Structure formats: structure tokens, C-alpha cells
Amino acid sequence: MTGPPGSAFPVSDWPVSNWPVREPGWPGGAIVWHAGLRLDAARRAACLALLDRDETLRADRFLQARDRDRFIASHAALRLLLAGALEAEARTLSFSVSAFGRPSLAGAQAGRLDVNLSHSGEHALVALSPTGRIGVDIEVPRPIPDALRIARAHFHPREVAALEAHGSDGEAAFYACWTSKEAFVKAVGAGLSRPLNGFAVAVPPAPAALLEVDDADGPASAWTLATLAPAPGTVGAVALAIPRAAIALAALSPDWADRIGI
């Protein structure tokens, strides 16, 4: 399986167990899974049963029930995907969380995979890589009449110039830029402490790429950046600290939560 830099190619649906971590022919980059988060009460309860005490406490901090439900579902999907990839029990996986909220595997599975998670609305992306630091972002676009003002205040001058060239028809380009930047920040693990104007990504119609970056993160050419279309009405991106890596895109079947008890 191969794919050009800046793009993602599809792989088979569930079961995840068909994707061992180091299978011969593995693309050597990353796999990004889409999971739908619209679940009924019974499936949400099954998802909650997968989570550990820390995740449950974090879920309980949400003021809105829908935000709590989406957190539970997305973290359950993360556990199921990791369990399939690592041939482990989903309930026994343990995680550490950085000061900026970036999860990583802990305990017996520490270091086997780099992992990242993003969710927006009723959609989640789970990114897994055995080869390098990874970050992922997904957004459900909404109208942003002041997109250029936001870009001018927060984005790199190269990105602002590219977005200005789109004129009033640049909302899709803005979201592609935004998700690419978020994915890179999450891969680096710096969270909101990383100034968004301190690095530059390509803006459509240019192919996805990291253009400029601080020396501390290595040269821009050491990174793979790809834009994603995980599901209708969504836009996403993935950043991987491996040059010219293949990025596979997959989707959990709509009944994925029914497999928790299998």
C-alpha cells in the first residue's frame, strides 16, 4: 500500500485485528480511523464500561450531556482500535496524559504505538503510528464570516497571503489550513502554548505540506502532512514526524460499539 505525500488512501473496514502493528507490507506511516459517535443509551453504557477511572472522571466534568457522551464514545473507540492493533484487551490498556492533554500508551504497551485523538460533533478520528509522533484533527465546518480576520490575527504570513488570494470564497481553504495546523501542534505535543504563526502549512489548492517550522521540531521536510475527508460534512488532517510517509484512512462500521462485548 502506498500513497502520495499529502493524501490518504482507504484501507479495509473493521476488524482491526487484520492490521497487526508490524505486518510485512505495512505502509510504514500511520493509519487514521473515523468513528461515528451517535450512539443510543445501551451502546453509550457499553462504551463507558471500557473506560478507566481517570477517563470516567474526565467525562463527568463536562457540563453538557452531549459533550460527555461524545467523550465517552471517542475514548471507547480509541481503546477498541488500540486493542485490535496491539492484540490486547481494551479494558486493560493504560494511558498517561501530558500537561497539554496529549495521551500516550503507558504500562506494558508503552512505546509500541504513538496515538492521537480528535472529535468534533458526532465524528472522531483516531490516529495510530508505530513509526513516529502523530497528531490528528477533525472539524465539522460551520460558516465563519470573519475567517480572514482570524487568520490575520493568528496564522503565519505565508498562510494569510494564500488565504487572501481566495477572496471571499476561502472557507474550505481556511478549514484545511486550520486542521493541518492543529494536527501539527498535537503531534508536537505543545497544545495551545505553540503560537500558530510560528510555523506555516500549505493552503489549498497547493498539496498539503509543512512549509516552515522551528528547528526544534526538525526540518519541515522531516514531516508528512495530509488532509483528510473522513466523512461527509467533515474536514480533517494528520501530521506525522516521518518524511513522505503513507497515511491510510479507514472507517469503523456504524455498529462498531456493538463489538465491545465480542
Side-chain angles (χ1 to χ4, degrees):
M1 293 190 293
T2 59
S7 67
F9 57 91
V11 297
S12 60
D13 232 6
W14 192 278
V16 190
S17 57
N18 286 346
W19 177 67
V21 173
R22 297 190 184 278
E23 176 186 9
W26 156 246
I31 186 166
V32 180
W33 289 89
H34 170 266
L37 304 182
R38 180 184 292 182
L39 305 177
D40 60 24
R43 292 180 175 90
R44 290 198 301 270
C47 287
L48 180 60
L50 276 187
L51 307 190
D52 62 20
R53 182 175 181 274
D54 178 68
E55 289 167 318
T56 302
L57 290 174
R58 290 170 64 193
D60 288 340
R61 296 191 188 110
F62 287 98
L63 298 179
Q64 299 292 328
R66 68 178 184 180
D67 294 331
R68 177 180 182 272
D69 292 344
R70 290 167 180 171
F71 176 93
I72 291 170
S74 61
H75 282 253
L78 169 66
R79 283 181 170 271
L80 285 176
L81 287 163
L82 283 168
L86 298 169
E87 298 182 346
E89 291 292 331
R91 292 179 179 85
T92 65
L93 295 172
S94 60
F95 300 90
S96 60
V97 180
S98 74
F100 300 107
R102 192 178 194 277
S104 59
L105 282 163
Q109 305 293 350
R112 291 192 64 193
L113 285 173
D114 201 58
V115 57
N116 207 239
L117 170 67
S118 177
H119 57 87
S120 178
E122 295 175 340
H123 303 270
L125 288 182
V126 175
L128 309 176
S129 176
T131 53
R133 290 177 295 161
I134 194 166
V136 70
D137 189 56
I138 185 171
E139 299 290 340
V140 176
R142 56 181 176 80
I144 304 182
D146 58 348
L148 273 178
R149 180 188 64 79
I150 295 172
R152 290 169 181 144
H154 300 288
F155 287 5
H156 191 279
R158 292 182 65 173
E159 298 162 342
V160 174
L163 289 169
E164 287 175 338
H166 283 271
S168 60
D169 189 30
E171 193 169 281
F174 173 86
Y175 271 105
C177 182
W178 176 267
T179 53
S180 293
K181 292 177 78 66
E182 286 290 307
F184 175 73
V185 166
K186 293 179 70 176
V188 171
L192 295 177
S193 71
R194 180 64 178 262
L196 293 180
N197 62 1
F199 64 97
V201 302
V203 174
L210 185 63
L211 301 178
E212 292 186 27
V213 67
D214 294 339
D215 291 341
D217 300 313
S221 60
W223 288 81
T224 295
L225 193 64
T227 53
L228 308 172
T234 69
V235 60
V238 57
L240 180 64
I242 298 291
R244 300 183 62 82
I247 307 293
L249 179 63
L252 293 181
S253 57
D255 65 345
W256 66 265
D258 294 338
R259 302 171 182 265
I260 290 176
I262 295 177

